[in-house]
Amino acid sequence: HDEFKKRWFELRGGQLAWFEDAGGKYKGEIDMASDECKQVRVSEAEGASQFEVEIVFGPRTYRLETENTDAVQQVVKKCSYG
């Protein structure tokens, strides 16, 4: 399924929570310290922005666009080090 849905993400400690939009309905979360969090990388997908990351979590790969390079580094660090 390649259709994107726009969501708002917040990194809260070791959890990456997502919402319908800023201040919107809670939709779920990823435990970044979980063994299921296999890899976080800067996205190399065709058409990806410079601030896009991919999180490989179990069988799924989530693609997120962050606001800046610092945010990319924070997401990568949380998965890599818990």
Side-chain angles (χ1 to χ4, degrees), residues 35-82:
D35 289 341
E36 286 190 82
C37 189
K38 304 290 184 198
Q39 184 180 29
V40 176
R41 59 184 177 247
V42 175
S43 181
E44 296 178 356
E46 186 175 329
S49 81
Q50 64 180 342
F51 304 131
E52 189 172 311
V53 295
E54 295 178 352
I55 301 171
V56 180
F57 191 83
R60 295 188 68 179
T61 299
Y62 297 89
R63 289 176 61 191
L64 315 174
E65 186 172 352
T66 64
E67 294 179 338
N68 54 48
T69 302
D70 289 340
V72 170
Q73 292 172 353
Q74 287 178 353
V75 172
V76 169
K77 183 178 177 182
K78 283 295 179 184
C79 187
S80 300
Y81 306 108

